Amino acid sequence: MKILDHNELFQRPEYLEQFENKRQFEGMAPPEKVREISEWTKTEEYKELNFARKNIKINPVKACQPLGALLCSGGFQDTLPFVQGAQGCAAYFRSHLARHFKEPSVAVSSSMTEDAAVFGGMNNMLEGLENAYALYTPKMMAVFTTCMAEVIGDDLNAYIRSAKGKGTIPEDLPVPFAHTPSFVGSHITGYDNMMKGILSTVTQGKKGEPNGKLNIIPGFDTYTGNYRELKRLLDIMGVEHTTLGDISETYDSPTTGEYTIYPGGTPLADAADSVNGVGTIALQRFSTAKTMQFIKTEWVHKTETVTPIGIKNTDAFFEAVVKITGKPIPKDIEDERGRAVDVMVDSHPYVHGKRFAMTGDPDQLLGLISIIMELGGYPAHIVCTNGDKKFKAQAEELLSQSPFGAQGQIYTNKDLWHMRSLMFTEPVDMLIGNSYAKFLWRDVGTPLVRIGFPLFDRHHLHRVPIIGYQGAINIVTSIVNTVLDELDRETMHTASFDVIR
Amino acid sequence: MVWGPVKDQITISHGPVGCGQYSWWARRNYYNGQTGINTFGTMHVTTDFQEKDIVYGGDKGLDAAMRELKGLFPLANGIGVLSECPVGLIGDDIEAVSKQVEKDLEIPVVPVRCEGFRGVSQSLGHHIANDTIRDHILGKGGILEEETPYDVNLIGDYNIGGDGWSSRKILEEMGLRVITQWTGDASVNEMKIASRAKYNLIHCYRSMNYICRHMEEEYGVPWLEFNFFGPTKTYESIRKIAALFDDTIQANAEKVIEKYKPVMDAVIAEYKPKLEGKTVMLYVGGLRPRHTVGAYEDLGMEIIGTGYEFGHSDDYKRTYPVMPEGAVIMDDATSYELEEFTYRLRPDMIGAGIKEKYNYHKMGVPFRQMHSWDYSGPYHGFDGFAVFARDMDMTVNSPTWDLVRKKK
């Protein structure tokens, strides 16, 4: 039986007629006016007006701090994320991550309402900690805040001490916390704050014999494939390591017929012992700045920050591993590099000279700028809503290192509506962004390569790594095949509809 | 949920960036229009509060923001200011700002005090939104060329996956004139003229009974609850609605039922044999915990448990009579409680939301999102029932469940 769902149903004549008939009640502008305004939004004049706005964001590419804190806490074993604030916030973060990973996302909320607004959130927190501990038996609870708790000035440290003092939760239960106001920074800031909170709590008093292990801090990385790829690479090198905040099992767990609330994460003993590692490599700079500063001053061991997206960046990653661990780079990895370069050489004709618009988080964008330039593409419009001055300076420095960086412009604190103006007035060939960039794909018609977060409208992309040499292969594959899909569409009624490309 | 679907209004998430980001086009309130030009449903517009806004207040920024928006989107027919937690906590006066901007820009500007910490659930937000419709929009002008005795409002349908459109189709085929659709695919004009209808036909009682009661008291517009899930309830509702009108409409109603009955019978003949006897547990919001029961029963399925996230006592009063003997009814269940119910009741499928979905995938329990229709739909009306039947079949009978190697 042929069933028509919304994709086809509403294109049927009876519905088109219904829509036409409904217009008489809508009181909206006539079609010619809509066309006129539509054309106007594509102009230079509109772009200027658009860039002049200072008080409103339209389609921003950033989320808020507690989301990052939730992702971070989920990376530790048997850890229950505890959201101090109104209940809707926790529901929002959980839904958002569940939609991206297509996995369960766990958090509890202290459900603050009007009385907490007046009297503070201490009672909510004490009861919340007690209930959550009893119901979900965590080995650690990671507490972070929402707007409400921050505006009324809840003191997490004092509340947690009080909970332990009253025996609401065991004295020895680690309860790291982070103040994560949503009106400061973005999700990457929240990740950083929570990571610092967790590491400072679990490593307290644990400084002892060096364990010889390398610590990795992935940063706000929503590619579970990246975590597995990293482990694979370090295993090949024979480098003993601890990934701090390992979400690969938490957000990519097997279906076994049983639901487990804590399917994975960095073992708490390993996290505690990380203070005794030989060094720490952060794979993102802007989501780990405070954490890395803390490690540098408190743990006093070697630190490096490098995002292994693209060939040169992956080279730099391995150099950092060698520098800290003294282990040589094995032939297997050299071969992988060779294969990645092979891929880039093979595919370059379809990317060379193409102009790219890109949006996303700062560290990911730096990696993408790098790999696009390595391929001979031109990064053009680079929109980073949550990028700061430091990011802008670093991105501009990166662009200046290659002739392919000459067309690149960095726009921080801007959004996808700015990007729309840029893409209409100074067209590009390709767009890289998250699922929400599909509105630009529709409006402007520029082909979209989905890289970033969130990825809601394509399945399993987050399971495919974008870091390391294999990650470079995967990025090139999706870019070049998007170009070729588009080329096929453009040439399907011409002689150029080639079967060999 | 109430204001977001109004398509030619710009809805501002007033406060920090998160709330708007997480709710951005997650609810699939379909609409027709050119987004960013004359409609704004799939856009995330936010004042993006920073620390300085918390310290010095956000009113000035809001005022400037709305003027910038009107400059960029001249065809916007309204602006909604939806406050997030900090706005209420720091004591901003969004009402005063809205009043001034409304005067200057000559479009409705609606301040909505829907801070997340108010009330125990989203349900208070529906009530607050209804009150703002009453105070700022309803009955305040609007264009309606003529009135007819058959003018009705389709209320409490958010057009998820096109639900409102498939419901509207039935009402129009009955000979009724649907002058407004609230709020799925609604325009500001439709929000204004609703008080001029002869009847309010309400689907989601929970979220919009407030405005129906108001229209009854203030404008003398009576209201009727109906249910367009599944053919049995739809036939019943069609007749109930027709009884409000004259013989012509009543005759039309019979014709509509006659026309669609064979189509519905064919859907049932196709899917009932695959679903007969299967048990269902629901945990959703609004009207679904009770309104979808008949649709499942049309397919021979049995509801053994149902529950509301934010139900009130009047919801439960409406639920008991439609539930089969022995079914479990739950209120505001936690994830832990839901799991326990699942282990004890062993339903063949579960209908709930995104936060539950993947837990049940891990457990190998067939699951369907019954908020977003799992990105399918419509489920309302005759066209919707066919999709519903297809989707429940693919949920319960997917061979992927058999691949799960469950521990004994």
Side-chain angles (χ1 to χ4, degrees):
Chain A
M1 177 178 259
K2 171 80 176 156
I3 305 279
L4 300 182
D5 63 21
H6 61 91
N7 293 297
E8 293 172 86
L9 184 65
F10 299 123
Q11 295 177 40
R12 289 179 58 84
E14 67 268 28
Y15 279 102
L16 297 180
E17 197 185 313
Q18 180 195 112
F19 300 154
E20 193 49 44
N21 179 52
K22 183 175 180 292
R23 293 169 64 91
Q24 62 175 306
F25 307 109
E26 292 181 338
M28 290 164 66
E32 55 278 11
K33 186 74 192 165
V34 176
R35 266 194 299 276
E36 179 201 318
I37 298 295
S38 175
E39 287 310 309
W40 172 61
T41 64
K42 301 172 185 174
T43 61
E44 191 66 39
E45 181 197 338
Y46 188 86
K47 184 180 110 181
E48 276 174 34
L49 189 64
N50 192 8
F51 272 75
R53 74 182 141 96
K54 291 195 170 57
N55 298 282
I56 195 84
K57 290 273 191 324
I58 305 166
N59 301 350
V61 191
K62 66 169 179 178
C64 65
Q65 281 211 49
L67 182 86
L70 175 56
L71 186 83
C72 174
S73 348
F76 292 87
Q77 204 174 48
D78 297 322
T79 297
L80 185 65
F82 185 106
V83 187
Q84 171 73 350
Q87 191 171 309
C89 305
Y92 271 159
F93 314 142
R94 293 178 59 210
S95 308
H96 206 65
L97 293 179
R99 288 181 179 124
H100 172 81
F101 291 111
K102 309 210 182 294
E103 293 285 318
S105 176
V106 172
V108 294
S109 162
S110 59
S111 291
M112 285 159 62
T113 55
E114 288 96 334
D115 52 345
V118 179
F119 302 111
M122 183 153 105
N123 285 340
N124 295 69
M125 182 143 176
L126 296 188
E127 266 185 52
L129 287 172
E130 188 175 15
N131 278 336
Y133 183 73
L135 269 183
Y136 299 111
T137 55
K139 300 232 164 59
M140 177 159 94
M141 279 200 264
V143 179
F144 49 92
T145 51
T146 65
C147 299
M148 182 181 186
E150 288 300 322
V151 172
I152 65 177
D154 276 355
D155 183 347
L156 297 184
N157 193 19
Y159 293 178
I160 293 165
R161 270 206 312 248
S162 163
K164 289 188 170 182
K166 288 182 176 160
T168 316
I169 45 168
E171 183 65 43
D172 59 352
L173 180 77
V175 186
F177 65 89
H179 286 277
T180 49
S182 301
F183 43 83
V184 176
S186 69
H187 54 287
I188 60 174
T189 327
Y191 179 94
D192 195 8
N193 286 334
M194 192 75 247
M195 182 59 87
K196 187 184 161 199
I198 290 175
L199 293 183
S200 57
T201 302
V202 298
T203 62
Q204 202 172 24
K206 302 288 180 183
K207 190 81 182 169
E209 288 304 301
N211 61 20
K213 283 160 83 174
L214 172 67
N215 302 318
I216 301 284
I217 299 182
F220 187 92
D221 184 349
T222 48
Y223 282 82
T224 51
N226 283 354
Y227 295 74
R228 297 188 196 285
E229 179 64 7
L230 184 80
K231 183 176 185 315
R232 188 183 68 84
L233 292 171
L234 292 175
D235 285 350
I236 292 174
M237 279 187 82
V239 171
E240 265 205 276
H241 65 279
T242 301
T243 301
L244 294 164
D246 183 357
I247 60 153
S248 59
E249 292 295 313
T250 318
Y251 286 110
D252 187 14
S253 67
T255 284
T256 59
E258 223 174 306
Y259 167 65
T260 327
I261 184 169
Y262 311 116
T266 312
L268 294 184
D270 292 358
D273 200 30
S274 61
V275 66
N276 300 312
V278 285
T280 301
I281 300 179
L283 304 187
Q284 293 182 354
R285 182 178 304 277
F286 295 93
S287 62
T288 66
K290 282 182 215 158
T291 304
M292 291 306 275
Q293 189 56 41
F294 161 78
I295 289 175
K296 217 181 268 180
T297 52
E298 300 288 323
W299 297 4
V300 207
H301 67 201
K302 293 175 193 161
T303 58
E304 296 282 344
T305 298
V306 53
T307 307
I309 297 178
I311 301 295
K312 283 179 196 156
N313 285 332
T314 304
D315 292 348
F317 169 74
F318 283 112
E319 281 158 25
V321 177
V322 171
K323 201 164 127 193
I324 293 178
T325 65
K327 298 254 186 185
I329 296 174
K331 181 170 178 303
D332 281 356
I333 288 192
E334 263 310 318
D335 286 351
E336 270 192 36
R337 184 185 192 280
R339 278 194 291 274
V341 172
D342 189 64
V343 160
M344 300 194 48
V345 171
D346 291 349
S347 295
H348 81 267
Y350 293 100
V351 186
H352 190 100
K354 292 265 190 296
R355 280 162 52 81
F356 286 77
M358 40 179 103
T359 74
D361 282 345
D363 292 288
Q364 219 159 52
L365 279 175
L366 290 168
L368 290 171
I369 293 170
S370 184
I371 191 170
I372 296 301
M373 295 196 305
E374 285 171 350
L375 274 164
Y378 291 105
H381 313 310
I382 299 143
V383 168
C384 187
T385 310
N386 55 352
D388 58 9
K389 279 184 195 149
K390 279 185 191 161
F391 162 75
K392 190 165 194 280
Q394 201 178 329
E396 280 167 354
E397 162 64 22
L398 176 63
L399 289 168
S400 73
Q401 288 169 14
S402 160
F404 293 95
Q407 301 182 13
Q409 282 289 328
I410 310 293
Y411 301 93
T412 56
N413 203 24
K414 294 287 181 282
D415 51 46
L416 294 184
W417 199 254
H418 291 112
M419 181 67 108
R420 186 179 184 273
S421 281
L422 289 169
M423 289 171 68
F424 271 126
T425 54
E426 301 159 69
V428 293
D429 302 295
M430 298 287 288
L431 168 65
I432 299 179
N434 65 19
S435 288
Y436 287 103
K438 76 190 286 178
F439 294 117
L440 292 170
W441 170 82
R442 179 181 65 184
D443 282 7
V444 191
T446 311
L448 168 65
V449 177
R450 285 169 176 79
I451 299 176
F453 171 81
L455 298 171
F456 289 159
D457 69 331
R458 290 293 182 275
H459 284 206
H460 313 308
L461 290 180
H462 65 279
R463 292 184 164 100
V464 180
I466 61 164
I467 63 163
Y469 300 122
Q470 183 58 47
I473 293 174
N474 297 337
I475 291 175
V476 175
T477 306
S478 44
I479 290 176
V480 76
N481 286 335
T482 305
V483 172
L484 293 176
D485 280 347
E486 191 61 18
L487 205 53
D488 279 349
R489 251 190 301 274
E490 282 168 8
T491 61
M492 62 194 294
H493 302 298
T494 74
S496 308
F497 193 58
D498 278 329
V499 82
I500 309 166
R501 301 252 199 220
Chain B
M1 198 197 97
V2 172
W3 274 115
V6 180
K7 60 182 176 178
D8 56 345
Q9 166 187 275
I10 299 176
T11 303
I12 303 176
S13 297
H14 183 41
V17 70
C19 298
Q21 189 71 22
Y22 309 129
S23 52
W24 186 2
W25 199 218
R27 216 159 172 271
R28 305 179 61 239
N29 312 109
Y30 284 3
Y31 61 91
N32 288 311
Q34 196 180 336
T35 302
I37 309 300
N38 67 344
T39 47
F40 310 92
T42 62
M43 293 167 76
H44 170 203
V45 179
T46 176
T47 39
D48 189 18
F49 263 29
Q50 300 299 304
E51 207 150 19
K52 65 170 174 40
D53 299 304
I54 304 292
V55 178
Y56 300 110
D59 285 344
K60 269 191 188 160
L62 174 65
D63 183 288
M66 291 197 274
R67 292 168 204 276
E68 288 174 0
L69 285 172
K70 187 61 185 162
L72 287 167
F73 306 107
L75 299 185
N77 289 328
I79 297 178
V81 181
L82 273 58
S83 340
E84 300 169 14
C85 292
V87 174
L89 294 168
I90 63 178
D92 273 6
D93 190 354
I94 60 166
E95 287 79 7
V97 177
S98 301
K99 203 170 174 183
Q100 185 58 48
V101 175
E102 178 170 88
K103 211 171 128 198
D104 296 349
L105 300 184
E106 296 175 335
I107 51 169
V109 177
V110 184
V112 189
R113 285 283 182 184
C114 54
E115 289 87 348
F117 65 83
R118 289 190 199 277
V120 291
S121 70
Q122 60 264 58
S123 185
L124 184 60
H126 306 142
H127 197 155
I128 292 168
N130 276 237
D131 289 351
T132 56
I133 296 172
R134 176 196 66 199
D135 295 344
H136 296 273
I137 301 283
L138 186 68
K140 302 206 186 318
I143 303 157
L144 181 65
E145 300 283 341
E146 42 150 10
E147 289 180 27
T148 79
Y150 302 124
D151 291 357
V152 296
N153 300 319
L154 174 49
I155 302 264
D157 193 318
Y158 300 96
N159 207 30
I160 293 166
D163 280 339
W165 293 331
S166 53
S167 299
R168 185 185 187 106
K169 182 179 164 192
I170 295 174
L171 299 175
E172 289 185 342
E173 283 188 42
M174 287 169 68
L176 300 176
R177 201 172 79 132
V178 181
I179 62 166
T180 83
Q181 222 174 291
W182 280 24
T183 53
D185 195 37
S187 68
V188 170
N189 191 63
E190 288 172 68
M191 305 301 291
K192 288 178 177 172
I193 61 176
S195 53
R196 296 166 67 181
K198 299 297 174 287
Y199 282 98
N200 273 323
L201 305 177
I202 178 169
H203 209 235
C204 182
Y205 168 86
R206 177 71 278 128
S207 59
M208 283 225 160
N209 75 84
Y210 317 100
I211 198 74
C212 289
R213 291 175 198 279
H214 170 74
M215 278 196 251
E216 185 168 46
E217 283 166 23
E218 205 60 28
Y219 300 94
V221 184
W223 52 288
L224 178 80
E225 280 179 79
F226 71 102
N227 180 354
F228 272 1
F229 280 106
T232 304
K233 291 291 170 193
T234 307
Y235 302 149
E236 227 178 272
S237 292
I238 287 175
R239 291 193 171 114
K240 212 163 79 173
I241 292 167
L244 303 171
F245 296 92
D246 58 19
D247 291 350
T248 323
I249 300 294
Q250 288 173 27
N252 285 349
E254 293 308 319
K255 274 186 222 151
V256 170
I257 293 170
E258 211 173 298
K259 173 180 166 193
Y260 286 102
K261 188 150 190 313
V263 185
M264 293 298 98
D265 288 349
V267 171
I268 290 170
E270 170 85 15
Y271 291 103
K272 194 171 176 175
K274 303 178 196 180
L275 294 167
E276 181 101 59
K278 300 286 184 191
T279 57
V280 184
M281 187 171 92
L282 298 172
Y283 180 61
V284 254
L287 73 167
R288 301 174 175 101
R290 62 175 177 274
H291 260 34
T292 58
V293 172
Y296 283 107
E297 287 174 348
D298 283 335
L299 294 169
M301 301 172 82
E302 190 195 341
I303 305 287
I304 55 170
T306 197
Y308 292 85
E309 290 170 282
F310 48 87
H312 298 211
S313 60
D314 49 359
D315 288 307
Y316 291 99
K317 276 184 200 142
R318 287 166 164 75
T319 309
Y320 302 130
V322 300
M323 294 300 290
E325 191 67 31
V328 170
I329 298 179
M330 54 197 148
D331 177 58
D332 191 19
T334 64
S335 162
Y336 183 89
E337 289 160 343
L338 266 188
E339 249 176 80
E340 274 304 309
F341 277 127
T342 310
Y343 285 127
R344 295 185 193 193
L345 299 175
R346 299 268 162 200
D348 292 311
M349 73 159 278
I350 289 182
I354 185 71
K355 298 192 293 299
E356 291 78 44
K357 181 178 173 74
Y358 299 106
N359 302 25
Y360 291 96
H361 283 196
K362 300 295 174 196
M363 290 158 73
V365 178
F367 185 97
R368 193 81 196 173
Q369 283 190 69
M370 289 299 285
H371 298 266
S372 67
W373 308 149
D374 252 318
Y375 324 115
S376 175
Y379 282 180
H380 292 178
F382 295 123
D383 290 339
F385 179 67
V387 182
F388 174 81
R390 177 198 71 179
D391 289 356
M392 294 314 128
D393 171 42
M394 75 166 80
T395 302
V396 173
N397 295 315
S398 164
T400 57
W401 303 117
D402 301 331
L403 302 172
V404 182
R405 208 175 261 165
K406 291 189 186 177
K407 284 180 204 143
K408 297 288 172 211

